[in-house]
Amino acid sequence: MSDRTPALAQPLRPPSAGRAAACLGLFVLGAVTGAAGALVQPAWFPGGLLLALAGEAGLCLGAARALRGRIGAVASAAGWMLAVILLTTTRPEGDFVFAAGGGSYLFLLGGMAVAVICATLAPGRQPDDGAGRLGK
């Protein structure tokens, strides 16, 4: 197989152990960011909401840039969504984290929109040798 074959025609390779560990770490960091955002957004409305969404966007875009691919943004966004979805459930005692207000819905829907936007706009995986890049 030559180096000129399209990326979709090449066989899939499993990720390296370091890349898998980085994705797992970003998943956990996304969950922590989601839990922190859930606590911050109602405290200082609307500044807390903007801070929580900016934190998620920074995490997703930074993760994509660190791993040089969309998988970083997807891993951190998946952790964020899992934590936020788990925090929306009520407990048998009646305790809950999210109140039924506009700010909570903006955080949930806005956070999901930010995750999708960041995963979509993140740079795709590029070849390491620079042969497939424009301008080189």
Side-chain angles (χ1 to χ4, degrees):
M1 188 181 315
S2 72
D3 292 332
R4 294 282 186 195
T5 57
L8 292 176
Q10 295 178 1
L12 291 175
R13 295 183 315 239
S16 66
R19 191 169 180 86
C23 287
L24 181 64
L26 288 170
F27 181 84
V28 171
L29 190 59
V32 169
T33 303
L39 297 175
V40 166
Q41 64 91 15
W44 303 307
F45 189 79
L49 174 66
L50 296 175
L51 180 66
L53 293 177
E56 181 199 3
L59 172 66
C60 289
L61 288 176
R65 188 170 288 277
L67 290 184
R68 293 188 299 152
R70 290 185 180 102
I71 189 67
V74 171
S76 58
W80 183 90
M81 282 193 194
L82 180 70
V84 169
I85 296 298
L86 289 177
L87 289 173
T88 60
T89 59
T90 58
R91 296 178 31 162
E93 296 88 16
D95 298 336
F96 57 89
V97 174
F98 290 104
S104 296
Y105 292 124
L106 280 174
F107 177 68
L108 291 171
L109 296 175
M112 289 181 195
V114 165
V116 168
I117 290 169
C118 290
T120 303
L121 294 178
R125 186 149 188 194
Q126 296 290 323
D128 292 331
D129 61 356
R133 297 183 183 185
L134 296 175
K136 287 193 177 189

